Amino acid sequence: MIDPKKNARKTKDFGDPRLGKLLAAARKRAGFSSAAAAALAYGWPEASLRAHERGGRKIGASDAEKYEAAFGLPAGSLQDRHLAGYQLGELTRAQLSRLKDSPIEDNSSSNEQVGLRLKIARKLRGFETVAAAAKEFGFAHPTLAAHEAGTNRVSELMALAYASAYGISSLWLLKGIQPSGLGARVDQRLAVQPSLETISFREVRSLAERETPPDYFEVRKLVEEAIHKQRVSASDADDIPEANPDQFGPSGPNEGAIASTRRWRLPKGFVSNMLSANPSRVVAVAVDVPNEGLKIGDRVFVDTGRRDVGLGGQFAYSYGKGHLIVRTHPMGQHAIPVEQTGVLIGRVVAVFVRMQVHD
């Protein structure tokens, strides 16, 4: 006879994939290309760290504290899935910034070299053909083929998508900077390989390692965002993302979380000319909870780059659980009153009011 209480205890032992994903991302940011390397450096059980990263085992409070301290995560990040989601967005933003700012010392960032590394990753992950990888992860076959051939440039967002799919470093893919994410033995082999064009996939395939399984949802989300960004860059409209109040932290919007949300396409120049704001910093914050003159369905357009309340004006704050409050600050008031210490989103530049139209 099955004991329900025993099964319930077993269920509780399983971890949260989002927390595991954050743990793996933080470990890589800290410079450890594998769970084995981090476990060896800190004297942790390698099997436990792997299980935590894969979401197969719940991360206990004591383990969470030691991981957070070792990998530079805010306290509580590995115990709260919502905070973990925000931190993952922060890491994604940092990755994009690093990809853009990393120096280029040779031709390792040429389209051809990036394409060759992409091909290496595909083959070492067991996909013999472009078609097989495209089908598995939802890549457009012509896009992947063009990227591997070096015909088209791989954008930073697509690099993150490929990195998530193949379990590799996006920095290695775009810049050739190790570790690659394919394992220390593969990195050693690539370091002495005089030419990527002559590498033997059969020779190095047995050396490849994989730390965590692919996150298919994350791959598809990044691909969709890359496609959307490409379309918008060629359009004649200002593209404004929409978010809810809970998708903002002390350092700004969680770009990873709002990347695939609803978008507002406003006439080109409207935001800069009429609202005197930078379109790339403006976010439409949805009002889900009525509060102080705001109704459900209203949209508050906020310049997230203007957060100095001392300049005066109306500023939007998030107070959690969907609560958005707009406060008016007089010129010169730099100190924020204690009762207004929600998360500062930015300066309000416009409010779109939802009106009920009756026949």
Side-chain angles (χ1 to χ4, degrees), residues 232-295:
V232 168
S233 64
S235 73
D236 57 352
D238 287 336
D239 180 69
I240 308 298
E242 182 174 296
N244 64 57
D246 296 335
Q247 292 174 320
F248 294 86
S251 60
N254 181 344
E255 295 183 3
I258 69 175
S260 58
T261 58
R262 177 180 177 179
R263 321 291 290 197
W264 289 72
R265 298 189 68 202
L266 303 179
K268 195 73 172 179
F270 176 82
V271 175
S272 57
N273 297 330
M274 301 298 293
L275 305 183
S276 300
N278 184 336
S280 66
R281 302 185 310 198
V282 173
V283 175
V285 185
V287 177
D288 297 324
V289 179
N291 200 333
E292 298 188 15
L294 297 174
K295 304 184 301 295

Side-chain angles (χ1 to χ4, degrees), residues 102-109 175:
S102 295
I104 302 174
E105 298 180 355
D106 49 32
N107 70 336
S108 60
S109 293
K175 310 283 180 145

Side-chain angles (χ1 to χ4, degrees), residues 287 289-295 298 314 319 324-328:
V287 177
V289 179
N291 200 333
E292 298 188 15
L294 297 174
K295 304 184 301 295
D298 290 352
Q314 291 185 311
Y319 282 81
L324 176 73
I325 295 180
V326 174
R327 302 289 190 191
T328 300

Side-chain angles (χ1 to χ4, degrees), residues 24-334:
R27 184 253 302 160
K28 292 175 183 176
R29 181 188 63 174
F32 297 101
S33 61
S34 67
L40 180 63
Y42 288 102
W44 300 332
E46 180 184 338
S48 295
L49 179 55
R50 287 182 182 274
H52 287 153
E53 288 190 358
R54 290 172 177 166
R57 184 183 303 173
K58 182 179 179 181
I59 303 175
S62 59
D63 285 329
E65 289 179 3
K66 73 181 182 183
Y67 292 148
E68 288 162 357
F71 301 144
L73 287 172
S77 299
L78 294 174
Q79 295 283 280
D80 185 328
R81 69 189 313 270
H82 298 292
L83 182 56
Y86 175 77
Q87 288 300 320
L88 279 169
E90 291 288 283
L91 289 178
T92 299
R93 180 162 53 183
Q95 275 186 294
L96 287 171
S97 177
R98 189 181 179 196
L99 289 175
K100 293 176 182 177
D101 299 339
S102 295
I104 302 174
E105 298 180 355
D106 49 32
N107 70 336
S108 60
S109 293
S110 68
N111 289 351
E112 292 76 12
Q113 291 297 306
V114 171
L116 285 169
R117 286 193 290 273
L118 183 59
K119 183 178 180 179
I120 289 172
R122 168 175 62 79
K123 284 188 170 283
L124 295 190
R125 290 311 185 206
F127 299 100
E128 290 293 338
T129 65
V130 169
K135 181 179 180 180
E136 177 76 9
F137 298 109
F139 299 139
H141 187 287
T143 300
L144 178 55
H147 284 160
E148 286 195 6
T151 305
N152 293 343
R153 173 184 173 271
V154 177
S155 69
E156 287 82 6
L157 282 171
M158 278 305 300
L160 292 180
Y162 290 136
S164 183
Y166 296 144
I168 59 175
S169 162
S170 55
L171 193 60
W172 171 74
L173 177 60
L174 289 187
K175 310 283 180 145
I177 300 175
Q178 292 187 352
S180 67
L182 295 168
R185 293 184 298 173
V186 172
D187 286 352
Q188 291 171 2
R189 180 68 179 83
L190 295 176
V192 299
Q193 182 69 31
S195 173
L196 287 177
E197 291 91 336
T198 60
I199 192 169
S200 170
F201 296 109
R202 181 176 299 179
E203 178 186 348
V204 298
R205 181 172 295 169
S206 62
L207 305 178
E209 301 172 7
R210 173 137 204 168
E211 290 297 315
T212 55
D215 185 337
Y216 292 93
F217 175 78
E218 178 71 10
V219 173
R220 284 174 170 77
K221 186 180 77 170
L222 289 167
V223 170
E224 290 172 2
E225 186 180 352
I227 293 173
H228 175 80
K229 187 172 183 179
Q230 185 178 24
R231 288 174 178 170
V232 168
S233 64
S235 73
D236 57 352
D238 287 336
D239 180 69
I240 308 298
E242 182 174 296
N244 64 57
D246 296 335
Q247 292 174 320
F248 294 86
S251 60
N254 181 344
E255 295 183 3
I258 69 175
S260 58
T261 58
R262 177 180 177 179
R263 321 291 290 197
W264 289 72
R265 298 189 68 202
L266 303 179
K268 195 73 172 179
F270 176 82
V271 175
S272 57
N273 297 330
M274 301 298 293
L275 305 183
S276 300
N278 184 336
S280 66
R281 302 185 310 198
V282 173
V283 175
V285 185
V287 177
D288 297 324
V289 179
N291 200 333
E292 298 188 15
L294 297 174
K295 304 184 301 295
I296 295 177
D298 290 352
R299 297 294 185 272
V300 179
F301 284 72
V302 182
D303 186 341
T304 60
R306 297 163 69 182
R307 297 156 60 86
D308 185 356
V309 299
L311 297 177
Q314 291 185 311
F315 290 81
Y317 290 84
S318 168
Y319 282 81
K321 297 183 179 180
H323 287 274
L324 176 73
I325 295 180
V326 174
R327 302 289 190 191
T328 300
H329 291 275
M331 179 77 74
Q333 181 194 39
H334 291 279

